[in-house]
Amino acid sequence: MNYQGLTSAEVEELRAQHGPNSLPEPKPTGPLLIFFRQFLSPFIYILLVAAVVSFWLKESSSSIFILLVLFINAIIGTIQEYSAERSAAALRKMVKGIAHVIRDGINVTVDVEDLVPGDLVLLSSGDKVPADIRLHHVVNLEVDESMLTGESVSVQKRVDTEVASDAPVTERVNECFAGSIVTRGRASGLVTATGSRTQLGRIARDVTRARESEPPLIIRIRRFTYQVAGAIMVAIVLLVILMAIKGGYHMEEMFLMSIGLAVSAIPEGLPAAITVALAIGMRRMASLNVIIRKLVAVEALGSCTCICSDKTGTLTVNELTIRRAVLPDSKEYEITGEGVAPGGDIVSEHDLEHLRDLCLTGVLANESHLDYAGGEWVSDGDIVDVAFLVLAKKLGSSLSEIRRARAQRDLLPYESEKALSASLNHITEDSLALHVKGSPEKILELSTEMWTPDGPVPVDRELIERQFESLAASGYRVIALAHRSAAPERVDEQLHSLVFLGMVAMIDPIRPEAREAIQKCRNGGIEVAMITGDHPATARAIALELGLCTEEEPVVNGRTLRDAAEKSPESLDQLIMSSRVFARIEPHQKEQIVQCFRRNGHFVAVTGDGVNDAPAMRGANAGIAMGKRGTDVARESADLIITDDNFASIVSGISQGRIVYNNIRKVIAMLAATGVSALLLFFLCVMGGLPMPMIAVQLLWLNLVANGLQDVALAFEPSEGNELDYRPRRPDEPIFNRQILMHVVFAGITMGLIAFFSFRWFVNSGEDIETARSLTLTLMVLFGNVHALNSRSEIKSLFRIPLFSNPFLIAAVPLAQLIHIGAIYTPWIGDILELRPISLAQWGTMACMALVLLGVEEIVKLWLRRHQKGLATSSR
């Protein structure tokens, strides 16, 4: 096998020949189909019936206008939905699969799409196989091929077996196939097929991707839609009955009144506004390094009450640096410098010979790479392994010379279950040495001797445990190293009778913004639990610095958790709920912790980066994968991906999730209040023996200019700044809670009453019916614009909201008003809408009446602010 890999020129030539390594994607939904989908709504069905009845009653202008508005609404909805689908597709492409390959003799990371036949690919536990690969070197490799074969048991791969070229997939033990998952071990091999030529690609050509399930929010809103449609039909029946009881109404007038009622109450713009709100939320989250994989995560993340976060790379910066080294004879070395750059010094009064011996084991029991390329040091591999390579460079060693002089005979890769890695290397052609590194507890367990300047002596366990505890209590991650002379046998058969060489202490500093982010979570009623595989003392030191726990609070370790689980489920729950810091936790225990939080009423979000995190992420309400260091398994199990692996980005995503949901509530409240006001106006007119206050075409126009632009613009409303100041909403909370009902009732009743008394006054003062209706319609348009501005916040006063923080709404309100004014004074539009010119004095009177709504809503908001705590308790 060519261990140098392909050259850049060869890659370009092969890419031109074979194309990108990607499967054919299903054809996106076309705009024509999206257009026809806009008519699949009970609201639209009612309006279509209204148009047919209007045409039958020879009200052609009303019928044509209803159909025209439906057509315009369908076009707007089509544009918005098509745009949202394209945006979602673009966001999905932002998180591409990656593959580790050797090119030009250098280990590099490339996008999966850039792979070509002949590429030398490196595989490790947790990776998704990026293409069909012929294996050339394997170490304990097991692969889950269930998505190809249906076989749930992982397949053990090997290269020492001849396989027929026409053998079925289940028998090709020397190959890995695109889409399968590496569950254990390491391997390298050459790409034999990419894209549609792979086994997976052949299946993909014949299978259409299943439709994704709908998020609960959309299901809830659909239910709300049908409930509103049902309520409108009931209202129409009641109105007809009321008119029949009152008498004096012709059948034609009753039909027209019913049509008007239906048109006035239907929030035609609701589907489009929700689509826009969700699309905006996805884009805003993407700008904050949160990529949504499943739409449900927009709602779910905003609902979470508990975040179970790992430590490394999420709460810390994920750049381990060896700061101290301690030998069994108590010699200590201080190492300066940070990150992967080898700059720094070794500070010690002792010679460096024995530190070099310690470092040699760390470099050989190692699978990472460190190279200088493009003017900077770049690394690839486990961060613990990389830290030893950096230390070797600080000691002046050549990594390539070490690995060439100590050729590797066998390797035992690091697996979390073993808590160590080991390498069997040649010292000379005839002699071998075993080099082992791992957790201090594990290495000490396997050691019978320890190094001293006078040679190996029986291991002093108490001395080493004191050294270890001292380092761990200071917040260091501690790695122990050992070696022994070895025989040419398998590595895992010689893990005993080791000579303990010493320990290194690594530090991974916390992210500067992590502490503040955790405090924001607490302010928002969100619990944060840190779950790590590190030592309890290390976890405690980091947790104290982050403010996650106090000195008195316990740190639960894996052994204690196991003991509690053996006692009873109640003991396990009590232990978990009493702590927020968990250390030395095994993968299945992380899932236990998540399930416990869920049993105790929490809505849980879980972060993960490895194959072992997938069960916990699937068991959570929202799975969050790390985009930088996360494995393919973790990313595919997640609902969303954090591209910068930063805990603060998760908190920002929670805030954005709450903003999206709040904006949807604001839009629904605004549309519902308008519908309530129209219903009240119509019922009061019937009870008062008045004619229909607005005809159907005018009511459609009202919805168009009072809500049509404003509802979509309201979906762009930015943060109010207090999204993380209140407890999360309950997942089962209905759209209308007590707070939003107060807005709808008070605003709707105010608009309906003022409109009714104004219409009655217009009619009784001698105005002809066309003028009275024109004045009432104009008053309702003014109400709609005032209410749209007031809907920017459920609590905050309009006068405390920056005017231009939502420029879309600030533009939509005057634009809608100007459109209505233009319609009044444009003859042909005015004739269709049956509008009459309005005097300046009448404009002034109606503007003053519209401002009454502003006063009422400000009083409601003031009451809500004063009772916010109690309201939050009852509604959230």
Side-chain angles (χ1 to χ4, degrees), residues 362-665:
V363 170
L364 293 176
N366 196 307
E367 296 180 87
S368 294
H369 300 269
L370 179 67
D371 297 290
Y372 190 76
E376 63 178 351
W377 288 92
V378 292
S379 63
D380 180 74
D382 185 81
I383 57 175
V384 172
D385 284 355
V386 171
F388 279 102
L389 302 184
V390 174
L391 176 60
K393 299 298 292 184
K394 291 178 181 179
L395 287 167
S397 303
S398 169
L399 300 176
S400 57
E401 288 182 8
I402 290 174
R403 285 170 168 168
R404 186 164 50 248
R406 302 293 183 100
Q408 188 179 96
R409 175 77 175 255
D410 194 13
L411 173 71
L412 182 66
Y414 179 83
E415 298 287 350
S416 58
E417 293 84 359
K418 300 185 185 72
L420 60 80
S421 62
S423 177
L424 187 63
N425 297 79
H426 284 276
I427 301 175
T428 65
E429 188 175 341
D430 300 322
S431 61
L432 296 164
L434 180 65
H435 300 273
V436 187
K437 75 176 192 304
S439 71
E441 300 100 324
K442 189 67 174 180
I443 301 302
L444 191 57
E445 177 187 326
L446 300 173
S447 299
T448 55
E449 296 179 308
M450 67 182 189
W451 175 91
T452 70
D454 300 322
V457 299
V459 66
D460 186 342
R461 299 184 184 278
E462 290 186 4
L463 169 66
I464 293 173
E465 286 174 356
R466 284 198 303 272
Q467 291 175 341
F468 169 49
E469 294 291 345
S470 175
L471 293 171
S474 299
Y476 289 112
R477 181 172 184 176
V478 185
I479 302 295
L481 302 101
H483 71 183
R484 58 163 287 186
S485 297
E489 301 171 4
R490 285 172 48 126
V491 169
D492 54 1
E493 296 174 355
Q494 304 185 69
L495 291 174
H496 57 82
S497 305
L498 302 179
V499 178
F500 194 90
L501 294 175
M503 294 176 286
V504 297
M506 303 176 173
I507 189 69
D508 182 10
I510 69 168
R511 290 183 179 272
E513 64 277 13
R515 186 181 179 90
E516 181 184 356
I518 288 173
Q519 186 57 48
K520 285 182 179 178
C521 285
R522 286 184 171 161
N523 293 342
I526 303 168
E527 298 281 351
V528 179
M530 184 176 77
I531 305 175
T532 178
D534 278 348
H535 189 274
T538 304
R540 176 181 289 279
I542 295 295
L544 286 171
E545 191 174 355
L546 288 167
L548 271 175
C549 70
T550 64
E551 291 284 359
E552 296 75 27
E553 290 180 308
V555 174
V556 175
N557 60 45
R559 182 176 300 173
T560 308
L561 206 63
R562 188 164 50 250
D563 292 342
E566 290 174 354
K567 288 182 181 178
S568 67
E570 293 75 18
S571 298
L572 180 64
D573 283 7
Q574 184 177 0
L575 177 64
I576 292 173
M577 297 307 294
S578 67
S579 179
R580 291 298 177 265
V581 183
F582 304 86
R584 283 287 189 258
I585 296 300
E586 297 174 10
H588 73 278
Q589 291 177 322
K590 185 172 184 178
E591 186 179 12
Q592 281 184 325
I593 294 169
V594 171
Q595 294 300 335
C596 172
F597 281 125
R598 291 193 64 182
R599 280 196 304 273
N600 285 272
H602 279 289
F603 198 80
V604 185
V606 174
T607 69
D609 60 358
V611 62
N612 292 326
D613 293 320
M617 292 168 65
R618 290 193 190 103
N621 299 103
I624 304 171
M626 300 296 105
K628 280 187 175 180
R629 59 191 173 91
T631 62
D632 292 322
V633 177
R635 284 195 288 264
E636 292 195 358
S637 299
D639 301 303
L640 50 95
I641 299 170
I642 305 299
T643 60
D644 62 353
D645 294 9
N646 192 337
F647 184 83
S649 296
I650 300 173
V651 179
S652 298
I654 291 173
S655 178
Q656 284 298 324
R658 293 186 177 188
I659 292 169
V660 168
Y661 186 74
N662 288 345
N663 285 351
I664 290 174
R665 280 162 47 93

Side-chain angles (χ1 to χ4, degrees), residues 34-35 38 69-83 269 272-273 275-276 704 708-709 711-712:
I34 293 176
F35 175 79
Q38 305 306 308
V69 170
L70 289 178
F71 183 77
I72 293 172
N73 185 66
I75 291 176
I76 294 173
T78 300
I79 293 171
Q80 290 165 340
E81 188 173 336
Y82 184 66
S83 174
T275 301
V276 170
L704 193 65
L709 296 175
D711 55 3
V712 173

